[in-house]
């Protein structure tokens, strides 16, 4: 008899969550989803014990996916947790792993990528080092994003710390659509 694979999806983008749900259900997972931290806590309080979880890093509202990682890890210590993000940075990857995530994938990631991450239980010392240099725009964006995270997404304080005018930062953020 095969063990039931219970997947928990924490994603505020309803369309993406629905797509993931359908894809994983076709692969034999029992799937529950939550659009944010409050919905996640409600599911966990009802006794949900996921064997696998996919958690979006940047959720609508004031709570990040990192808080959700902690909640899932506390409720299901053996769950395989993958964090997905459209805002990949070294700092958030390190924090996600420290807080209990097993893997960290940048969007766009598909079901195959996520399932491969679930299956990997150890690191790979032979992984090729990325020799591609980051562009100045990418480095700038990662620095802005990290400062935003550090300030709790307070645009005025972020602008002050970066030494730029608040309107200049607001224009940059409009181009990258931080949500």
């Amino acid at each position: 008899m095969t063990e039931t694979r219970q997947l928990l999806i924490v994603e505020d983008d309803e369309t993406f969550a629905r797509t993931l749900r359908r894809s994983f259900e076709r692969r034999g997972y029992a799937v529950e989803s939550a659009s944010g931290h409050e919905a996640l806590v409600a599911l966990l309080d009802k006794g949900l014990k996921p064997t696998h979880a996919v958690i979006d890093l940047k959720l609508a509202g004031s709570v990040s996916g990192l808080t959700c990682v902690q909640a899932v890890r506390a409720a299901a210590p053996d769950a395989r947790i993958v964090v997905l993000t459209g805002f990949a940075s070294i700092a958030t990857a390190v924090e996600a792993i420290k807080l209990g995530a097993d893997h960290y994938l940048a969007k766009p990631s598909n079901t195959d990528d996520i399932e491969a991450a679930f299956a990997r239980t150890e690191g790979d010392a032979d992984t090729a080092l990325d020799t591609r240099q980051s562009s100045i725009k990418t480095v700038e964006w990662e620095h802005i994003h990290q400062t935003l995270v550090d300030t709790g997404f307070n645009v005025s304080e972020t602008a002050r710390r970066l030494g730029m005018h608040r309107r200049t930062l607001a224009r940059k953020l409009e181009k990258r659509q931080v949500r």
Side-chain angles (χ1 to χ4, degrees):
M1 187 168 162
T2 61
E3 179 183 323
T4 301
R5 297 179 297 177
Q6 176 68 57
L7 174 65
L8 173 60
I9 299 170
V10 182
E11 171 66 63
D12 58 348
D13 179 339
E14 291 179 32
T15 304
F16 185 59
R18 189 172 42 251
T19 300
L20 278 180
R21 172 188 278 276
R22 288 181 189 149
S23 186
F24 276 104
E25 284 175 342
R26 283 193 296 270
R27 293 174 186 229
Y29 288 81
V31 181
E32 291 288 335
S33 59
S35 60
H37 186 260
E38 288 180 16
L40 166 67
V41 170
L43 285 172
L44 295 175
D45 286 347
K46 289 180 184 176
L48 178 69
K49 298 286 186 215
T51 58
H52 299 80
V54 177
I55 301 173
D56 186 17
L57 178 66
K58 182 70 178 104
L59 299 168
S62 62
V63 178
S64 83
L66 296 177
T67 304
C68 296
V69 169
Q70 283 183 303
V72 171
R73 182 56 69 212
D78 296 328
R80 303 291 300 156
I81 301 172
V82 173
V83 172
L84 291 182
T85 183
F87 307 101
S89 74
I90 293 170
T92 54
V94 169
E95 289 306 313
I97 299 302
K98 283 181 179 179
L99 293 171
D102 295 295
H103 289 281
Y104 182 94
L105 299 175
K107 289 180 181 178
S109 292
N110 60 32
T111 308
D112 292 332
D113 298 332
I114 296 167
E115 205 164 39
F118 285 152
R120 287 192 58 217
T121 58
E122 295 184 16
D124 181 2
D126 295 327
T127 298
L129 298 177
D130 188 6
T131 58
R132 181 180 61 88
Q133 295 292 318
S134 293
S135 71
I136 297 229
K137 285 183 179 183
T138 300
V139 172
E140 176 190 43
W141 174 247
E142 287 179 356
H143 185 60
I144 289 170
H145 184 259
Q146 183 55 48
T147 307
L148 276 166
V149 169
D150 292 345
T151 63
F153 291 88
N154 180 319
V155 175
S156 295
E157 178 61 16
T158 299
R160 187 189 68 71
R161 289 185 186 184
L162 294 173
M164 68 172 58
H165 195 279
R166 189 189 60 76
R167 286 187 194 147
T168 302
L169 178 59
R171 279 190 221 96
K172 288 178 182 288
L173 294 174
E174 284 175 11
K175 291 179 184 177
R176 292 300 289 249
Q177 289 298 313
V178 174
R179 53 175 191 99

